[in-house]
Each structure stands twice: as structure tokens, then as C-alpha cells.
Amino acid sequence: MNLPPNSSTSLNSLMLINRDQSLCSKRSRSRGLVLTRQGWQKLMQAGVLCDRYGNRYTYEILAGQSDLSPRTVSKILNSSFPVDKRTLTIFFNAFQLQLELDDYAIYNTILTEQATNSIKQYQAPEDYATELQLLVEEVMQLKERLEFYGQRFKLLDLAESGQNV
């Protein structure tokens, strides 16, 4: 690079250009993935999360084995904060596991599924009427049985004598 002598301005602008190019070349990671139930079960079945006595490993122990920070391990296992695919791959590879498509999901998708599932838990009003009718019928059947047994006890003279059968 040929710079004219005493051209600090040119050197400063060149350094700024290089810094901006290096910042642009660093692509930000897409942190939007969380473990699915299948991914969690894969870790459980492989014995990654617990010892053979069922005691859970600490985040620090898992972090040491996977070369990730305890905070990152916590994010992965709690599925409370999304992480990037590279981090999940590192974690799975540390335990000789292959990260598959079904092992993770996009965080927003998981939130939508949870919201949908919580809405499904509430029944529609017509379901309440049907359920109420079934309960009334069941109570009526129980009442009939009690009356039937009461009649049998009277026949056996056990109604209020307190005798054991």
C-alpha cells in the first residue's frame, strides 16, 4: 500500500473502511431455536441430563463437557431463550448425538403451539352442556344403585343394626 507521507487522514479513513468491512463480514447468528420434546427426550435417553441414579447434572458440569457456558446450557435445556443452530449442534455433538430437524423448533412456532394448546383446553359451551348431561345421568344411576342397596340391606335386616356382613 502506497500512502503519501504525512497522510494520517488517508490512513484513518482506510482503517475505518477495513473495520466496517470486517464488521459486515461477520454475519449475525440467527438465535431463534429451542429444543423440542423429542430433542429433550433424546438427551434424556442418552443419559446426558442425569446420572444412572436419576440425579440431574448441574449446568456447570454439562457446560464443562460441552465447552459452552453454564448460561447457554441453561438456555438450551429450559427452552426459555432461543439459541442458534450452531450452539445446539455443539451441545449434541459433545455427547456424541446427532442433531436432527425434529430435535429443535423455531421459538415463535413453539410459543404459537403453546398458546393454541392452552386455548384447546377450554371447552366450547356446547361441550359443557353435553358433559353436564352425562354427569346428571351418572348421578341418577348412582342414586338408583344406592336405593337398590338400601332395599337389600332392609331385606337382610342390616339397615341400621350395625351388624357386619
Side-chain angles (χ1 to χ4, degrees):
M1 147 169 38
N2 295 330
L3 292 176
N6 298 329
S7 64
S8 62
T9 311
S10 299
L11 185 59
N12 285 340
S13 62
L14 184 61
M15 287 174 34
L16 287 175
I17 290 171
N18 284 340
R19 194 185 97 215
D20 289 342
Q21 286 175 348
S22 68
L23 290 176
C24 292
S25 66
K26 289 183 181 179
R27 229 179 93 220
S28 65
R29 294 183 299 192
S30 173
R31 292 175 177 90
L33 304 177
V34 291
L35 277 181
T36 60
R37 187 178 310 259
Q38 179 176 327
W40 178 266
Q41 288 174 348
K42 184 186 276 190
L43 292 170
M44 285 295 291
Q45 289 172 353
V48 171
L49 306 178
C50 300
D51 64 12
R52 60 182 166 185
Y53 303 110
N55 299 322
R56 290 240 356 226
Y57 291 119
T58 63
Y59 295 140
E60 288 78 15
I61 291 172
L62 294 172
Q65 293 175 344
S66 62
D67 289 332
L68 297 170
S69 73
R71 184 174 179 202
T72 301
V73 172
S74 168
K75 287 179 182 181
I76 291 170
L77 297 181
N78 289 330
S79 297
S80 55
F81 293 99
V83 295
D84 63 339
K85 186 175 179 181
R86 189 182 116 227
T87 302
L88 286 176
T89 303
I90 289 170
F91 190 73
F92 272 66
N93 288 344
F95 302 102
Q96 289 76 42
L97 296 173
Q98 185 68 34
L99 180 68
E100 297 173 3
L101 257 168
D102 293 337
D103 295 334
Y104 61 91
I106 298 172
Y107 184 64
N108 291 339
T109 306
I110 295 293
L111 290 178
T112 304
E113 287 176 12
Q114 288 174 348
T116 304
N117 288 340
S118 64
I119 289 171
K120 286 180 182 177
Q121 288 177 354
Y122 298 105
Q123 297 176 332
E126 59 270 4
D127 290 343
Y128 286 124
T130 305
E131 190 172 335
L132 181 61
Q133 182 61 35
L134 290 173
L135 287 172
V136 168
E137 289 175 11
E138 189 176 337
V139 168
M140 295 302 288
Q141 289 174 356
L142 288 171
K143 182 180 173 189
E144 289 173 7
R145 278 193 203 154
L146 286 172
E147 289 172 355
F148 174 77
Y149 290 131
Q151 291 171 357
R152 295 295 178 236
F153 285 141
K154 281 184 185 177
L155 288 174
L156 295 171
D157 199 28
L158 297 174
E160 295 188 24
S161 64
Q163 295 178 359
N164 293 332
V165 180

